[in-house]
């Protein structure tokens, strides 16, 4: 295969003495749709948060697009990344949060245009045009002038997805995008993500408990346990013929739960 | 003397009081934001200056600050050969503003810190710089939180202006003192002054309430 767009090389992450991730090796190819599953506290969110530069690392190297994310090359050696480097790297990534994290003081439209205008320097018209295309994609054209507080959870999360896409990232990270939603609203959000999954060039890394959905859209499923990949494979392999005892137990618990 | 004869001198005093209140609210608000944000700065010099300022002006009384600026500063200036005599109006406005700003800075800091960490994470994920995040994400959400405290501080500032009469400024309290000395009619004069302060406080708190409503409009739309 060609060089991966994401590569974790022996990455370590600890909070004080508590090691969350230890010597993690993890690769994602360009355009690949990867789903991470695993028990609570196994470090799934941490992996996404490290990629989104919300959380630093304590060892190893993370590469995004072949360049170190948390380091910079300086005179042949690796030094911790400056804010400038992080800002440059971040342009490749977008994230969708479990709790949506929309800006409550801005209209839906403004949620989508603010960063493109302020961060990317797009003109007002250009940003608006981009926002309208995205609202079309997520089916919320008629909600453009409402505030997040006036929308249902499912609608809010669709705005959250559109907001991240407005920055045109190469990689989209989803951290349990449907976990905070009432069951009847999950479908509308999954439909949007399904559309994105059909895009050949977009790389997606998603943490989810929606096993059926993971099976449907993923190229690869990784089972995380205790901060490392315990088992991985195509959805078919992992869900139908899991090799590891621990994976079988987990799947049995969530599928019957 | 009929009470209406007191009205004109008291009204002139009240006008001075109103001006002092508005000026100190204006400059106090600037100090509040400058030092409240300064206290949250990553730069330790800015943070240090802000902390010292806030602690000094909250830890000493307004009266002492006023006297110090008006009486002590010129003497200190003399010793180093600089003319630091301030006109009473300037000394009054500076003391009131700095005092108000110190309390306001804590309100600003508290409100900014109360903005949810998830908002900062969303801003980071969208690649806003820290200044853009402060300006476009944090402050618009924090300012509505500040408003009730600001209203209280504004009313406090109105009442505190009475201290400027002690450095010879002819505010409402000063006017009242003069009338009382002259006509020996404490009951009428002080009742009128009481009502006038109360009236001004009422108008001020209604104005602050309108301001509050105008900055919290988006909140009304939360289900
Ligand atoms: N800021 C923090 N300080 C201390 N410990 C933390 C912090 N953030 C996360 N942890 C711990 O790190 C571990 C991994 O957290 P993480 O959020 O990555 O788990 P997760 O797999 O996403 O779990 P869940 O399914 O519950 O979301 C957990 O045990 C958590 O308690
Ligand atoms: Mg998680």
């Amino acid at each position: 295969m060609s060089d991966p767009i994401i590569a974790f090389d022996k990455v370590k992450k600890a909070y004080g003495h508590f090691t969350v991730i230890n010597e993690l090796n993890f690769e994602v190819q360009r355009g690949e749709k990867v789903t991470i599953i695993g028990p609570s506290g196994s470090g799934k969110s941490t992996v996404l948060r490290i990629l989104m530069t919300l959380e630093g690392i304590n060892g190893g190297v993370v590469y995004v697009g072949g360049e170190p994310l948390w380091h910079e090359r300086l005179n042949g050696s690796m030094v911790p990344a400056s804010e400038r480097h992080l800002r440059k790297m971040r342009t490749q990534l977008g994230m969708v949060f479990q709790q949506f994290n929309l800006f409550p003081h801005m209209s839906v439209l403004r949620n989508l245009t603010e960063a493109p205008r302020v961060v990317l320097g797009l003109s007002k018209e250009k940003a608006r045009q981009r926002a309208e295309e995205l609202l079309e994609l997520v089916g919320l054209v008629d909600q453009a002038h409402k505030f997040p507080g006036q929308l249902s959870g499912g609608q809010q999360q669709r705005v959250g997805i559109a907001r991240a896409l407005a920055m045109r990232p190469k990689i989209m990270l989803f951290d349990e995008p449907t976990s905070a939603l009432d069951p009847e609203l999950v479908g509308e959000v999954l439909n949007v993500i399904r559309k994105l999954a059909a895009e050949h060039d977009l790389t997606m890394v998603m943490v989810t408990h929606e096993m059926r959905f993971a099976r449907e859209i993923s190229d690869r499923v990784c089972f995380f346990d205790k901060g490392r990949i315990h088992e991985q494979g195509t959805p078919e392999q992992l869900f139908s013929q899991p090799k590891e005892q621990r994976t079988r137990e987990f799947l049995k618990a969530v599928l019957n739960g | 003397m009929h009470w209406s004869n007191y009205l004109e001198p008291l009204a002139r005093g009240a006008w001075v009081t109103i001006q002092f209140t508005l000026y100190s609210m204006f400059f106090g608000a600037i100090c509040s934001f400058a030092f409240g944000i300064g206290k949250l700065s990553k730069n330790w010099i800015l943070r240090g200056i802000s902390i010292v300022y806030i602690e000094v002006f909250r830890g000493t009384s307004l009266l002492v600050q006023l006297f110090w600026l008006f009486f002590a500063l010129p003497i200190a200036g003399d010793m180093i050969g600089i003319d630091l005599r301030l006109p009473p109006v300037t000394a009054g406005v500076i003391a009131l503003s700095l005092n108000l700003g110190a309390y306001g800075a804590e309100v600003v800091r508290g409100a900014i810190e109360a903005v949810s960490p998830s908002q900062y994470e969303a801003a980071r994920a969208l690649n806003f710089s820290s200044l853009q995040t402060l300006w476009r994400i944090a402050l618009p959400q924090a300012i509505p939180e500040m408003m009730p405290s600001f209203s209280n501080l504004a009313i406090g500032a109105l009442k505190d202006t009475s201290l400027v009469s002690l450095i010879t400024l002819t505010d409402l309290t000063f006017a009242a003192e003069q009338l009382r000395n002259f006509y020996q009619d404490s009951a009428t004069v002080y009742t009128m002054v009481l009502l006038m302060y109360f009236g001004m406080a009422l108008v001020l708190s209604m104005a602050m309430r309108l301001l509050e409503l105008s900055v919290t409009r988006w909140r009304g739309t939360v289900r």
Side-chain angles (χ1 to χ4, degrees):
Chain A
M1 267 200 225
S2 63
D3 46 335
I5 192 163
I6 298 172
F8 280 59
D9 181 14
K10 297 202 182 106
V11 171
K12 192 184 157 200
K13 172 72 191 173
Y15 294 104
H17 292 295
F18 179 64
T19 302
V20 181
I21 286 176
N22 204 2
E23 308 252 311
L24 175 68
N25 294 310
F26 173 54
E27 288 188 355
V28 178
Q29 302 301 320
R30 255 167 241 279
E32 200 181 9
K33 319 293 186 261
V34 176
T35 299
I36 298 174
I37 61 171
S40 182
S42 57
K44 308 182 296 295
S45 296
T46 304
V47 168
L48 298 192
R49 292 170 58 79
I50 287 171
L51 280 168
M52 197 61 253
T53 71
L54 302 176
E55 213 79 71
I57 55 177
N58 306 103
V61 187
V62 177
Y63 296 90
V64 172
E67 260 195 272
L69 178 67
W70 280 102
H71 299 84
E72 271 176 279
R73 294 199 175 93
L74 190 78
N75 309 327
S77 63
M78 296 267 241
V79 298
S82 63
E83 182 59 28
R84 208 170 122 231
H85 177 77
L86 291 176
R87 282 199 87 187
K88 192 188 86 196
M89 296 300 288
R90 250 181 239 136
T91 58
Q92 304 178 65
L93 297 140
M95 182 153 178
V96 174
F97 298 89
Q98 187 174 352
Q99 301 293 341
F100 330 133
N101 299 7
L102 298 180
F103 302 129
H105 57 296
M106 296 180 188
S107 69
V108 166
L109 188 67
R110 185 93 189 279
N111 263 279
L112 303 195
T113 55
E114 190 75 356
R117 287 195 62 191
V118 174
V119 177
L120 303 180
L122 257 58
S123 71
K124 197 173 171 178
E125 297 73 44
K126 196 95 198 3
R128 199 189 162 98
Q129 189 194 338
R130 194 182 273 197
E132 275 161 3
E133 284 167 22
L134 287 166
L135 287 174
E136 183 82 48
L137 176 80
V138 301
L140 289 173
V141 176
D142 46 342
Q143 312 289 332
H145 297 287
K146 289 197 178 159
F147 284 85
Q150 295 171 296
L151 302 181
S152 72
Q155 292 172 323
Q156 289 190 51
Q157 190 58 297
R158 287 186 276 154
V159 175
I161 294 169
R163 184 179 69 172
L165 289 171
M167 299 299 280
R168 301 264 160 96
K170 295 196 193 84
I171 304 165
M172 280 286 280
L173 309 170
F174 297 85
D175 192 3
E176 302 196 31
T178 58
S179 294
L181 300 177
D182 293 338
E184 75 269 22
L185 301 177
V186 169
E188 62 190 58
V189 172
L190 293 186
N191 280 337
V192 170
I193 300 175
R194 191 176 282 124
K195 277 195 227 171
L196 294 182
E199 295 212 11
H200 184 71
D201 292 333
L202 188 69
T203 306
M204 287 175 33
V205 183
M206 178 165 67
V207 174
T208 187
H209 292 297
E210 299 287 334
M211 296 302 159
R212 203 135 46 104
F213 185 68
R215 187 172 192 149
E216 177 193 329
I217 66 147
S218 312
D219 297 317
R220 176 157 56 106
V221 179
C222 300
F223 173 61
F224 258 65
D225 194 26
K226 301 199 176 74
R228 50 181 215 89
I229 299 173
H230 205 78
E231 183 172 355
Q232 60 179 321
T234 63
E236 199 55 34
Q237 285 166 351
L238 200 100
F239 288 121
S240 305
Q241 301 127 23
K243 291 193 195 71
E244 302 284 331
Q245 177 65 19
R246 188 75 192 85
T247 317
R248 278 197 289 271
E249 281 167 18
F250 174 77
L251 288 175
K252 202 168 145 212
V254 291
L255 293 176
N256 299 336
Chain B
M1 283 293 279
H2 192 256
W3 66 270
S4 60
N5 294 5
Y6 303 143
L7 212 49
E8 208 219 310
L10 288 182
R12 249 184 283 124
W15 177 232
V16 172
T17 294
I18 289 169
Q19 285 177 301
F20 265 106
T21 308
L22 293 180
Y23 277 121
S24 54
M25 277 171 64
F26 177 76
F27 292 112
I30 293 176
C31 292
S32 302
F33 280 95
F35 293 102
I37 292 166
K39 193 169 170 178
L40 295 170
S41 167
K42 275 176 244 157
N43 180 323
W44 67 268
I45 299 176
L46 284 181
R47 205 169 55 238
I49 292 173
S50 304
I51 290 171
V52 169
Y53 159 72
I54 291 168
E55 293 308 320
V56 165
F57 279 86
R58 289 198 317 159
T60 56
S61 80
L62 175 58
L63 190 64
V64 173
Q65 291 156 22
L66 201 60
F67 282 0
W68 193 87
L69 275 173
F70 190 61
F71 298 116
L73 191 63
I75 299 171
D78 257 357
M79 290 194 290
I80 52 173
I82 312 173
D83 184 7
L84 288 177
R85 279 174 303 175
L86 297 173
V89 179
T90 314
V93 170
I94 292 179
L96 286 169
S97 305
L98 289 176
N99 186 270
L100 185 58
Y103 288 93
E106 285 294 274
V107 173
V108 170
R109 179 196 58 82
I112 292 176
E113 281 184 331
V115 172
S116 159
S118 64
Q119 289 288 305
Y120 290 102
E121 288 184 352
R124 204 166 149 85
L126 290 165
N127 222 350
F128 286 102
S129 72
S130 46
L131 210 60
Q132 290 164 346
T133 303
L134 175 72
W135 200 244
R136 293 167 185 274
I137 313 296
L139 277 179
Q141 295 184 57
I143 286 173
E145 296 295 326
M146 302 171 193
M147 290 313 294
S149 304
F150 275 171
S151 295
N152 286 336
L153 287 177
I155 304 289
L158 168 68
K159 293 188 279 188
D160 283 345
T161 54
S162 66
L163 291 175
V164 300
S165 65
L166 295 170
I167 56 169
T168 74
L169 285 161
T170 57
D171 74 325
L172 181 55
T173 302
F174 189 87
E177 282 297 310
Q178 277 188 320
L179 289 174
R180 194 189 61 101
N181 284 336
F182 200 78
Y183 297 108
Q184 299 296 318
D185 187 4
S186 301
T188 315
V189 170
Y190 282 142
T191 305
M192 287 176 75
V193 169
L194 191 92
L195 290 175
M196 288 171 95
Y197 271 115
F198 180 66
M200 289 191 283
L202 208 60
V203 172
L204 187 58
S205 63
M206 285 192 304
M208 291 301 286
R209 181 79 193 131
L210 285 180
L211 190 63
E212 181 175 347
L213 288 178
S214 76
V215 297
T216 50
R217 240 172 334 185
W218 58 270
R219 280 243 208 105
T221 61
V222 174
R223 302 197 305 170

